[in-house]
């Protein structure tokens, strides 16, 4: 399994319980594919540099995890079609660290 880091933005219109449920649901995709969640950094509500779909704010979450390729592909696919996730970016942290 390789290690990845994903930063994603959740719509600011969600309440705290719905946001927590969404984060748990997204992380459940990784753990259901025998992956592990290493770190979750909830950065809170932040302003966007520019408007995205008429929104100017969103909740930023950065997650570091290890998962196989099938789990990563499913995580990215479901994140891309979820209407409550505005944007996401995934990087392979092993390449960043030079491993």
């Amino acid at each position: 399994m390789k290690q990845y880091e994903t930063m994603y933005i959740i719509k600011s219109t969600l309440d705290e319980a719905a946001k927590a449920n969404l984060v748990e649901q997204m992380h459940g995709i990784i753990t259901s594919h025998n992956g592990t969640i290493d770190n979750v950094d909830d950065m809170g509500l932040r302003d966007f540099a520019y408007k995205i779909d008429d929104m100017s704010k969103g909740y930023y979450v950065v997650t570091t995890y290890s998962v196989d390729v099938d789990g990563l592909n499913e995580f990215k696919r479901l994140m891309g079609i979820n209407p409550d996730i505005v944007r996401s970016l995934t990087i392979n942290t092993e390449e960043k660290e030079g491993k």
Side-chain angles (χ1 to χ4, degrees):
M1 284 193 276
K2 293 186 177 180
Q3 190 171 25
Y4 300 94
E5 183 176 276
T6 299
M7 188 279 306
Y8 56 99
I9 305 170
I10 300 172
K11 286 184 176 179
S12 62
T13 56
L14 294 181
D15 62 12
E16 195 63 34
K19 182 179 75 105
N21 186 37
L22 178 61
V23 169
E24 184 178 319
Q25 178 185 1
M26 290 291 108
H27 295 167
I29 297 165
I30 295 167
T31 56
S32 70
H33 284 85
N34 298 322
T36 59
I37 304 293
D38 301 326
N39 187 36
V40 178
D41 184 14
D42 186 349
M43 299 174 67
L45 189 64
R46 302 252 175 140
D47 291 328
F48 296 156
Y50 54 90
K51 286 194 174 197
I52 302 172
D53 297 331
D54 293 327
M55 292 180 281
S56 59
K57 294 181 181 193
Y59 292 104
Y60 283 67
V61 179
V62 178
T63 305
T64 306
Y65 54 94
S66 298
V67 71
D68 61 12
V69 175
D70 291 335
L72 176 67
N73 290 338
E74 183 68 2
F75 180 65
K76 288 170 64 175
R77 183 185 76 81
L78 292 174
M79 191 164 286
I81 62 175
N82 191 313
D84 292 325
I85 296 178
V86 180
R87 293 279 191 278
S88 67
L89 176 68
T90 300
I91 60 170
N92 181 335
T93 56
E94 291 178 353
E95 291 176 5
K96 183 173 81 172
E97 295 170 359
K99 291 184 179 176

XYZ file of all heavy atoms in Angstrom:
786
model
N 0.838 -1.186 0.000
C 0.000 0.000 0.000
C 0.882 1.249 0.000
O 1.903 1.281 0.656
C -0.902 0.023 1.227
C -2.072 -0.920 1.134
S -3.309 -0.634 2.398
C -2.595 -1.553 3.738
N 0.432 2.226 -0.736
C 1.152 3.496 -0.796
C 0.461 4.525 0.086
O -0.717 4.402 0.416
C 1.201 3.998 -2.237
C 2.038 3.134 -3.143
C 2.168 3.750 -4.499
C 3.067 2.891 -5.367
N 3.211 3.449 -6.697
N 1.212 5.566 0.427
C 0.672 6.617 1.279
C 0.278 7.815 0.418
O 1.025 8.225 -0.473
C 1.693 7.028 2.323
C 1.109 7.927 3.375
C 2.056 8.149 4.524
O 3.259 8.047 4.381
N 1.497 8.463 5.672
N -0.900 8.362 0.711
C -1.443 9.488 -0.046
C -1.919 10.569 0.914
O -2.150 10.319 2.096
C -2.634 9.041 -0.905
C -2.298 7.971 -1.905
C -2.483 6.633 -1.602
C -1.784 8.300 -3.152
C -2.168 5.646 -2.521
C -1.468 7.325 -4.082
C -1.666 6.000 -3.752
O -1.347 5.018 -4.666
N -2.076 11.760 0.349
C -2.658 12.878 1.084
C -3.710 13.511 0.188
O -3.435 13.802 -0.976
C -1.581 13.891 1.442
C -2.089 15.057 2.263
C -0.962 15.974 2.677
O -0.312 15.677 3.695
O -0.740 16.968 1.974
N -4.898 13.689 0.725
C -5.983 14.318 -0.024
C -6.481 15.538 0.732
O -6.755 15.462 1.925
C -7.151 13.336 -0.239
O -6.690 12.228 -0.996
C -8.305 13.994 -0.978
N -6.571 16.646 0.025
C -7.188 17.850 0.554
C -8.510 18.001 -0.179
O -8.548 17.937 -1.406
C -6.305 19.074 0.299
C -6.774 20.356 0.975
S -8.088 21.290 0.171
C -7.457 21.540 -1.441
N -9.588 18.121 0.572
C -10.884 18.339 -0.070
C -11.662 19.427 0.648
O -11.421 19.710 1.812
C -11.688 17.038 -0.187
C -11.944 16.268 1.086
C -13.155 16.380 1.753
C -10.999 15.394 1.598
C -13.413 15.646 2.896
C -11.240 14.661 2.731
C -12.452 14.793 3.382
O -12.706 14.072 4.525
N -12.552 20.045 -0.121
C -13.339 21.174 0.380
C -14.800 20.763 0.405
O -15.347 20.313 -0.606
C -13.171 22.413 -0.512
C -11.692 22.776 -0.660
C -13.962 23.589 0.050
C -11.430 23.837 -1.707
N -15.436 20.930 1.555
C -16.843 20.598 1.753
C -17.646 21.889 1.732
O -17.205 22.919 2.248
C -17.036 19.873 3.098
C -16.211 18.579 3.116
C -18.504 19.585 3.356
C -16.172 17.890 4.462
N -18.835 21.827 1.141
C -19.704 23.005 1.084
C -19.930 23.605 2.467
O -20.146 22.889 3.444
C -21.067 22.632 0.494
C -21.049 22.396 -0.978
C -22.455 22.138 -1.483
C -22.471 21.982 -2.984
N -23.827 21.713 -3.475
N -19.923 24.913 2.536
C -20.095 25.611 3.816
C -21.539 25.585 4.297
O -21.803 25.912 5.450
C -19.617 27.055 3.698
O -20.397 27.748 2.749
N -22.476 25.177 3.449
C -23.888 25.156 3.827
C -24.247 23.959 4.710
O -25.326 23.944 5.291
C -24.786 25.143 2.573
O -24.420 24.021 1.752
C -24.651 26.425 1.786
N -23.353 22.979 4.818
C -23.629 21.815 5.667
C -23.467 22.177 7.137
O -22.563 22.927 7.504
C -22.676 20.667 5.329
C -22.797 20.026 3.959
C -21.793 18.894 3.827
C -24.192 19.505 3.721
N -24.344 21.615 7.987
C -24.170 21.827 9.422
C -23.066 20.900 9.935
O -22.551 20.060 9.210
C -25.479 21.620 10.181
C -26.028 20.206 10.053
O -25.312 19.315 9.566
O -27.190 20.002 10.463
N -22.696 21.071 11.189
C -21.558 20.335 11.768
C -21.777 18.820 11.737
O -20.857 18.060 11.428
C -21.315 20.814 13.201
C -19.984 20.397 13.771
C -18.797 20.979 13.033
O -18.877 22.118 12.542
O -17.770 20.276 12.947
N -22.998 18.369 12.037
C -23.280 16.927 12.055
C -23.189 16.338 10.646
O -22.638 15.249 10.455
C -24.656 16.675 12.646
N -23.719 17.042 9.662
C -23.675 16.557 8.277
C -22.244 16.541 7.762
O -21.845 15.620 7.035
C -24.547 17.433 7.384
N -21.461 17.543 8.150
C -20.053 17.595 7.739
C -19.277 16.432 8.349
O -18.514 15.746 7.663
C -19.430 18.924 8.154
C -17.975 19.070 7.727
C -17.413 20.401 8.137
C -17.136 20.463 9.576
N -15.780 20.387 10.018
N -19.484 16.177 9.636
C -18.803 15.067 10.307
C -19.211 13.731 9.696
O -18.378 12.838 9.513
C -19.108 15.089 11.797
N -20.480 13.592 9.345
C -20.972 12.368 8.713
C -20.323 12.162 7.342
O -19.940 11.043 6.988
C -22.498 12.411 8.596
C -23.057 11.117 8.083
O -22.579 10.042 8.416
N -24.083 11.220 7.256
N -20.188 13.228 6.583
C -19.572 13.146 5.261
C -18.096 12.751 5.369
O -17.620 11.898 4.613
C -19.711 14.477 4.522
C -19.077 14.555 3.140
C -19.708 13.541 2.195
C -19.212 15.948 2.576
N -17.371 13.349 6.305
C -15.959 13.015 6.501
C -15.833 11.542 6.900
O -14.993 10.814 6.373
C -15.313 13.941 7.570
C -13.939 13.443 7.971
C -15.242 15.367 7.047
N -16.688 11.092 7.812
C -16.667 9.690 8.241
C -16.992 8.751 7.076
O -16.357 7.708 6.914
C -17.672 9.489 9.371
C -17.657 8.103 9.961
C -18.638 7.982 11.116
O -18.722 8.923 11.927
O -19.305 6.940 11.189
N -17.941 9.138 6.253
C -18.325 8.335 5.083
C -17.157 8.235 4.095
O -16.856 7.154 3.582
C -19.532 8.980 4.407
C -20.009 8.283 3.169
C -21.139 9.053 2.485
O -21.555 10.127 2.938
N -21.634 8.515 1.401
N -16.487 9.346 3.828
C -15.355 9.343 2.902
C -14.203 8.496 3.441
O -13.595 7.722 2.709
C -14.869 10.768 2.630
C -15.803 11.616 1.808
S -15.919 11.052 0.107
C -17.547 10.343 0.079
N -13.923 8.609 4.724
C -12.838 7.840 5.308
C -13.203 6.360 5.411
O -12.324 5.500 5.386
C -12.448 8.405 6.662
C -11.875 9.790 6.554
N -11.693 10.608 7.642
C -11.458 10.510 5.483
C -11.187 11.757 7.255
N -11.043 11.722 5.935
N -14.485 6.069 5.494
C -14.953 4.686 5.503
C -14.641 3.964 4.195
O -14.450 2.750 4.184
N -14.581 4.702 3.110
C -14.234 4.110 1.813
C -12.805 3.573 1.875
O -12.521 2.469 1.399
C -14.375 5.150 0.684
C -15.822 5.602 0.557
C -13.860 4.594 -0.643
C -16.003 6.868 -0.255
N -11.915 4.331 2.477
C -10.517 3.909 2.589
C -10.396 2.682 3.489
O -9.757 1.698 3.118
C -9.649 5.071 3.123
C -9.627 6.206 2.100
C -8.234 4.592 3.446
C -9.080 7.494 2.619
N -11.036 2.728 4.653
C -10.918 1.604 5.588
C -11.616 0.351 5.068
O -11.192 -0.752 5.395
C -11.450 1.979 6.978
O -12.809 2.427 6.869
C -10.599 3.081 7.602
N -12.646 0.501 4.248
C -13.320 -0.674 3.693
C -12.459 -1.376 2.633
O -12.718 -2.523 2.293
C -14.678 -0.283 3.096
O -14.508 0.492 1.926
N -11.445 -0.695 2.126
C -10.496 -1.290 1.179
C -9.183 -1.641 1.878
O -8.108 -1.599 1.272
C -10.242 -0.339 0.006
C -11.359 -0.292 -0.969
N -12.448 0.533 -0.809
C -11.576 -0.992 -2.105
C -13.286 0.348 -1.817
N -12.775 -0.567 -2.621
N -9.275 -1.970 3.172
C -8.124 -2.372 3.997
C -7.060 -1.283 4.110
O -5.894 -1.582 4.328
C -7.496 -3.668 3.483
C -8.466 -4.825 3.532
O -9.242 -4.936 4.477
N -8.454 -5.657 2.518
N -7.464 -0.035 3.966
C -6.545 1.082 4.135
C -6.555 1.586 5.566
O -7.374 1.168 6.389
N -5.642 2.485 5.874
C -5.569 3.076 7.207
C -5.546 4.597 7.093
O -4.908 5.144 6.197
C -4.301 2.622 7.959
O -3.149 3.009 7.199
C -4.293 1.123 8.183
N -6.249 5.244 7.988
C -6.243 6.700 8.084
C -5.123 7.072 9.059
O -5.161 6.690 10.226
C -7.589 7.246 8.595
C -8.749 6.777 7.726
C -7.539 8.764 8.711
C -8.756 7.336 6.340
N -4.120 7.790 8.579
C -2.974 8.137 9.411
C -3.163 9.459 10.152
O -2.767 9.591 11.304
C -1.703 8.194 8.567
C -1.417 6.855 7.887
O -1.720 5.800 8.475
O -0.906 6.873 6.759
N -3.770 10.442 9.469
C -3.944 11.753 10.091
C -5.087 12.491 9.401
O -5.221 12.420 8.181
C -2.649 12.574 9.978
C -2.724 13.865 10.745
O -3.320 13.927 11.815
N -2.118 14.907 10.210
N -5.880 13.201 10.193
C -6.951 14.045 9.657
C -6.780 15.433 10.242
O -6.738 15.605 11.455
C -8.351 13.489 10.011
C -9.430 14.415 9.488
C -8.532 12.086 9.478
N -6.651 16.421 9.372
C -6.492 17.809 9.794
C -7.699 18.590 9.298
O -7.809 18.894 8.114
C -5.200 18.386 9.225
C -4.931 19.798 9.697
O -5.590 20.250 10.658
O -4.055 20.452 9.111
N -8.634 18.879 10.217
C -9.811 19.673 9.884
C -9.415 21.138 10.014
O -9.267 21.663 11.108
C -10.957 19.332 10.825
C -12.255 20.020 10.454
O -12.238 20.915 9.593
O -13.298 19.663 11.028
N -9.221 21.789 8.864
C -8.729 23.159 8.865
C -9.837 24.191 9.072
O -9.565 25.374 9.195
C -7.987 23.430 7.562
C -6.777 22.523 7.393
S -5.970 22.689 5.818
C -5.325 24.334 5.936
N -11.083 23.742 9.071
C -12.199 24.629 9.348
C -12.678 25.401 8.125
O -12.301 25.127 6.997
N -13.512 26.377 8.388
C -14.111 27.198 7.341
C -13.112 28.244 6.866
O -12.554 29.000 7.670
C -15.369 27.876 7.874
C -16.238 28.603 6.872
C -16.815 27.630 5.842
C -17.379 29.317 7.588
N -12.886 28.268 5.560
C -11.930 29.210 4.968
C -12.557 29.910 3.771
O -13.402 29.356 3.088
C -10.685 28.466 4.485
C -9.973 27.692 5.550
C -8.716 28.381 5.889
N -8.039 27.737 6.989
C -6.757 27.564 7.045
N -5.996 27.949 6.050
N -6.200 27.032 8.106
N -12.076 31.113 3.500
C -12.499 31.851 2.314
C -11.771 31.320 1.092
O -10.596 30.943 1.169
C -12.190 33.343 2.458
C -13.061 34.020 3.502
O -14.213 33.590 3.663
O -12.576 34.965 4.145
N -12.462 31.284 -0.038
C -11.839 30.910 -1.309
C -11.126 32.131 -1.885
O -11.505 33.274 -1.621
C -12.878 30.449 -2.327
C -13.619 29.191 -1.949
C -14.869 28.931 -2.474
C -13.068 28.255 -1.095
C -15.548 27.775 -2.156
C -13.743 27.088 -0.775
C -14.993 26.851 -1.299
N -10.132 31.902 -2.698
C -9.451 32.987 -3.395
C -10.361 33.572 -4.471
O -10.261 34.744 -4.815
C -8.158 32.484 -4.022
N -11.237 32.729 -5.005
C -12.223 33.164 -6.006
C -13.466 32.306 -5.831
O -13.422 31.241 -5.221
C -11.663 33.014 -7.424
C -11.155 31.630 -7.731
C -11.989 30.661 -8.268
C -9.839 31.282 -7.469
C -11.536 29.377 -8.517
C -9.371 30.015 -7.724
C -10.221 29.066 -8.257
O -9.764 27.796 -8.514
N -14.585 32.774 -6.342
C -15.841 32.040 -6.183
C -15.829 30.754 -6.996
O -15.358 30.724 -8.125
C -17.028 32.899 -6.597
C -17.345 33.975 -5.599
C -18.691 34.574 -5.863
C -18.988 35.536 -4.730
N -20.379 35.867 -4.651
N -16.371 29.711 -6.398
C -16.548 28.419 -7.058
C -18.034 28.096 -6.984
O -18.586 27.946 -5.886
C -15.735 27.313 -6.361
C -14.247 27.656 -6.331
C -15.979 25.962 -7.034
C -13.406 26.709 -5.507
N -18.685 28.014 -8.134
C -20.129 27.727 -8.189
C -20.914 28.647 -7.258
O -21.765 28.205 -6.488
C -20.410 26.269 -7.840
C -19.784 25.308 -8.820
O -19.617 25.688 -9.997
O -19.460 24.171 -8.416
N -20.632 29.936 -7.295
C -21.283 30.968 -6.488
C -21.067 30.803 -4.983
O -21.819 31.328 -4.179
C -22.784 31.041 -6.792
C -23.052 31.526 -8.198
O -22.272 32.357 -8.699
O -24.047 31.071 -8.805
N -20.042 30.060 -4.588
C -19.691 29.908 -3.170
C -18.385 30.653 -2.924
O -17.504 30.672 -3.786
C -19.509 28.435 -2.802
C -20.790 27.641 -2.848
S -20.517 25.913 -2.402
C -19.844 25.302 -3.938
N -18.264 31.245 -1.744
C -17.037 31.964 -1.424
C -16.315 31.380 -0.213
O -15.248 31.843 0.154
C -17.342 33.437 -1.177
O -18.259 33.566 -0.105
N -16.908 30.334 0.427
C -16.308 29.701 1.588
C -16.522 28.194 1.532
O -17.444 27.715 0.872
C -16.929 30.211 2.893
C -16.663 31.661 3.178
C -17.276 32.064 4.484
C -17.005 33.553 4.709
N -17.295 33.956 6.070
N -15.667 27.474 2.256
C -15.818 26.026 2.352
C -15.004 25.478 3.505
O -14.096 26.133 4.017
N -15.349 24.262 3.940
C -14.614 23.568 4.994
C -13.477 22.763 4.364
O -13.716 21.919 3.507
C -15.530 22.611 5.762
C -16.579 23.300 6.585
C -17.902 23.343 6.166
C -16.255 23.898 7.799
C -18.879 23.968 6.913
C -17.225 24.532 8.559
C -18.539 24.562 8.110
O -19.489 25.192 8.859
N -12.266 23.027 4.789
C -11.090 22.337 4.268
C -10.721 21.173 5.188
O -10.641 21.348 6.404
C -9.896 23.295 4.180
C -9.946 24.245 3.013
C -10.913 25.244 2.928
C -9.028 24.146 1.986
C -10.958 26.123 1.863
C -9.057 25.021 0.912
C -10.029 26.002 0.862
O -10.065 26.861 -0.206
N -10.488 20.005 4.594
C -10.067 18.822 5.333
C -8.875 18.218 4.601
O -8.913 18.033 3.385
C -11.201 17.776 5.431
C -10.728 16.541 6.183
C -12.437 18.368 6.081
N -7.795 17.925 5.345
C -6.611 17.279 4.779
C -6.462 15.933 5.480
O -6.402 15.872 6.712
C -5.339 18.126 4.985
C -4.123 17.405 4.423
C -5.505 19.490 4.331
N -6.413 14.861 4.684
C -6.327 13.501 5.222
C -5.105 12.798 4.657
O -4.882 12.811 3.448
C -7.594 12.699 4.859
O -8.740 13.400 5.310
C -7.565 11.324 5.473
N -4.314 12.193 5.532
C -3.172 11.370 5.131
C -3.556 9.925 5.406
O -4.037 9.613 6.503
C -1.920 11.743 5.936
O -1.694 13.154 5.807
C -0.704 10.984 5.452
N -3.341 9.050 4.424
C -3.787 7.665 4.548
C -2.948 6.741 3.679
O -2.219 7.185 2.796
C -5.264 7.553 4.154
C -5.584 8.104 2.788
C -5.616 7.270 1.674
C -5.828 9.457 2.602
C -5.895 7.783 0.413
C -6.110 9.971 1.354
C -6.140 9.129 0.264
O -6.409 9.631 -0.977
N -3.068 5.442 3.960
C -2.426 4.410 3.157
C -3.520 3.497 2.624
O -4.397 3.073 3.393
C -1.450 3.590 4.002
O -0.426 4.412 4.499
N -3.455 3.187 1.339
C -4.475 2.335 0.715
C -3.907 1.779 -0.582
O -2.953 2.334 -1.142
C -5.781 3.142 0.475
C -5.624 4.148 -0.634
C -6.966 2.232 0.223
N -4.504 0.698 -1.074
C -4.077 0.149 -2.361
C -4.713 0.948 -3.502
O -5.542 1.832 -3.284
C -4.411 -1.336 -2.470
C -5.899 -1.631 -2.361
O -6.720 -0.692 -2.420
O -6.254 -2.813 -2.226
N -4.333 0.635 -4.718
C -4.774 1.408 -5.886
C -6.282 1.322 -6.085
O -6.925 2.330 -6.413
C -4.026 0.925 -7.151
C -4.560 1.621 -8.388
C -2.547 1.179 -7.018
N -6.876 0.146 -5.863
C -8.327 0.016 -6.025
C -9.075 0.905 -5.039
O -10.066 1.549 -5.388
C -8.763 -1.445 -5.841
C -8.282 -2.338 -6.970
O -8.042 -1.819 -8.080
O -8.147 -3.556 -6.739
N -8.604 0.936 -3.790
C -9.232 1.790 -2.784
C -9.079 3.261 -3.117
O -9.999 4.057 -2.943
N -7.909 3.639 -3.626
C -7.674 5.027 -4.004
C -8.598 5.441 -5.145
O -9.206 6.518 -5.106
C -6.220 5.239 -4.413
C -5.880 6.633 -4.927
C -6.007 7.664 -3.819
C -4.498 6.661 -5.542
N -8.715 4.586 -6.149
C -9.577 4.905 -7.291
C -11.035 5.050 -6.877
O -11.726 5.949 -7.342
C -9.427 3.849 -8.378
C -8.081 3.917 -9.061
O -7.413 4.946 -9.045
N -7.667 2.817 -9.660
N -11.507 4.172 -5.989
C -12.892 4.262 -5.517
C -13.093 5.526 -4.679
O -14.100 6.216 -4.810
C -13.247 3.010 -4.707
C -14.669 2.973 -4.239
C -15.697 2.810 -5.345
O -15.339 2.677 -6.523
O -16.905 2.827 -5.019
N -12.131 5.849 -3.825
C -12.191 7.060 -2.997
C -12.282 8.301 -3.886
O -13.142 9.164 -3.686
C -10.952 7.107 -2.102
C -10.879 8.297 -1.190
C -11.796 8.488 -0.176
C -9.854 9.224 -1.322
C -11.711 9.576 0.678
C -9.756 10.308 -0.476
C -10.692 10.485 0.531
N -11.422 8.386 -4.878
C -11.420 9.546 -5.776
C -12.694 9.601 -6.620
O -13.238 10.685 -6.857
C -10.182 9.510 -6.664
C -8.899 9.824 -5.902
C -7.650 9.557 -6.683
C -7.496 10.420 -7.889
N -6.208 10.223 -8.579
N -13.193 8.442 -7.051
C -14.411 8.413 -7.863
C -15.610 8.925 -7.064
O -16.358 9.792 -7.520
C -14.681 6.989 -8.352
C -15.892 6.868 -9.259
C -16.185 5.419 -9.613
N -16.802 4.696 -8.522
C -18.098 4.751 -8.221
N -18.919 5.508 -8.922
N -18.587 4.057 -7.212
N -15.777 8.391 -5.846
C -16.916 8.797 -5.024
C -16.792 10.240 -4.549
O -17.793 10.937 -4.393
C -17.076 7.845 -3.843
C -17.504 6.429 -4.232
C -17.502 5.518 -3.014
C -18.858 6.433 -4.910
N -15.575 10.696 -4.330
C -15.368 12.087 -3.945
C -15.747 13.017 -5.110
O -16.318 14.077 -4.903
C -13.917 12.311 -3.531
C -13.687 13.640 -2.887
S -12.136 13.709 -2.025
C -12.520 12.725 -0.595
N -15.437 12.587 -6.322
C -15.725 13.403 -7.495
C -17.206 13.538 -7.809
O -17.630 14.532 -8.400
N -18.010 12.538 -7.426
C -19.447 12.598 -7.743
C -20.302 13.054 -6.565
O -21.506 13.228 -6.712
C -19.973 11.242 -8.275
C -19.827 10.140 -7.239
C -19.283 10.876 -9.564
C -20.446 8.814 -7.655
N -19.682 13.268 -5.404
C -20.435 13.712 -4.235
C -20.762 15.200 -4.381
O -19.864 16.028 -4.514
C -19.625 13.469 -2.964
C -20.450 13.666 -1.720
O -21.172 14.638 -1.583
N -20.340 12.732 -0.804
N -22.052 15.561 -4.342
C -22.431 16.970 -4.551
C -22.022 17.908 -3.410
O -22.014 19.121 -3.589
C -23.956 16.917 -4.678
C -24.352 15.679 -3.948
C -23.215 14.703 -4.131
N -21.666 17.367 -2.245
C -21.283 18.205 -1.113
C -19.784 18.482 -1.059
O -19.326 19.236 -0.213
C -21.725 17.554 0.202
C -23.235 17.526 0.334
O -23.885 18.492 -0.136
O -23.775 16.555 0.885
N -19.008 17.866 -1.960
C -17.577 18.122 -2.026
C -17.310 19.027 -3.224
O -17.610 18.670 -4.364
C -16.779 16.813 -2.107
C -17.003 16.023 -0.816
C -15.302 17.100 -2.334
C -16.320 14.700 -0.751
N -16.772 20.199 -2.941
C -16.565 21.222 -3.961
C -15.357 20.891 -4.832
O -15.436 20.903 -6.061
C -16.382 22.612 -3.302
C -16.168 23.678 -4.354
C -17.566 22.947 -2.422
N -14.229 20.604 -4.216
C -12.983 20.298 -4.921
C -12.177 19.316 -4.093
O -12.321 19.243 -2.866
C -12.121 21.547 -5.117
C -12.681 22.590 -6.044
C -12.423 22.212 -7.496
N -12.704 23.295 -8.410
C -13.893 23.618 -8.870
N -14.950 22.982 -8.486
N -14.026 24.615 -9.735
N -11.274 18.589 -4.764
C -10.355 17.710 -4.046
C -9.057 17.592 -4.830
O -9.034 17.775 -6.049
C -10.962 16.332 -3.820
O -11.119 15.650 -5.037
N -7.984 17.293 -4.108
C -6.673 17.095 -4.717
C -5.965 15.997 -3.943
O -5.880 16.057 -2.713
C -5.851 18.382 -4.666
C -4.417 18.283 -5.180
C -4.414 18.039 -6.684
C -3.654 19.537 -4.844
N -5.467 14.987 -4.663
C -4.769 13.867 -4.039
C -3.349 13.804 -4.566
O -3.129 13.915 -5.775
C -5.497 12.543 -4.349
O -6.833 12.617 -3.843
C -4.780 11.359 -3.710
N -2.396 13.626 -3.643
C -1.000 13.462 -4.039
C -0.446 12.206 -3.380
O -0.902 11.782 -2.316
C -0.127 14.682 -3.667
C -0.143 14.933 -2.162
C -0.563 15.914 -4.423
C 0.878 15.949 -1.711
N 0.542 11.612 -4.023
C 1.263 10.471 -3.473
C 2.391 11.039 -2.623
O 3.337 11.616 -3.144
C 1.799 9.605 -4.620
C 2.527 8.386 -4.144
O 3.051 8.344 -3.044
N 2.574 7.385 -4.995
N 2.319 10.881 -1.308
C 3.319 11.493 -0.433
C 4.631 10.734 -0.446
O 5.653 11.281 -0.030
C 2.803 11.616 1.013
O 2.404 10.330 1.485
C 1.647 12.578 1.081
N 4.628 9.493 -0.902
C 5.897 8.765 -1.009
C 6.787 9.386 -2.058
O 7.989 9.474 -1.886
C 5.630 7.295 -1.344
C 4.984 6.549 -0.205
C 4.669 5.110 -0.536
O 4.828 4.710 -1.708
O 4.268 4.384 0.374
N 6.207 9.861 -3.162
C 6.991 10.538 -4.195
C 7.504 11.876 -3.691
O 8.616 12.277 -3.990
C 6.146 10.739 -5.449
C 5.819 9.443 -6.161
C 4.901 9.656 -7.348
O 4.598 10.811 -7.684
O 4.479 8.643 -7.917
N 6.674 12.574 -2.903
C 7.056 13.873 -2.367
C 8.246 13.745 -1.427
O 9.138 14.574 -1.418
C 5.869 14.504 -1.645
C 6.135 15.901 -1.106
C 4.900 16.544 -0.551
C 4.632 16.051 0.842
N 3.569 16.755 1.519
N 8.261 12.657 -0.637
C 9.325 12.457 0.341
C 10.555 11.811 -0.285
O 11.573 11.662 0.359
C 8.821 11.590 1.493
C 7.724 12.278 2.293
C 7.059 11.330 3.265
O 7.429 10.141 3.306
O 6.172 11.786 3.995
N 10.445 11.390 -1.539
C 11.571 10.799 -2.227
C 11.816 9.338 -1.891
O 12.919 8.841 -2.001
N 10.782 8.627 -1.477
C 10.937 7.208 -1.134
C 10.990 6.352 -2.362
O 10.451 6.585 -3.357
C 9.789 6.746 -0.243
C 9.861 7.375 1.130
C 8.771 6.820 2.001
C 8.823 7.421 3.391
N 7.759 6.985 4.220
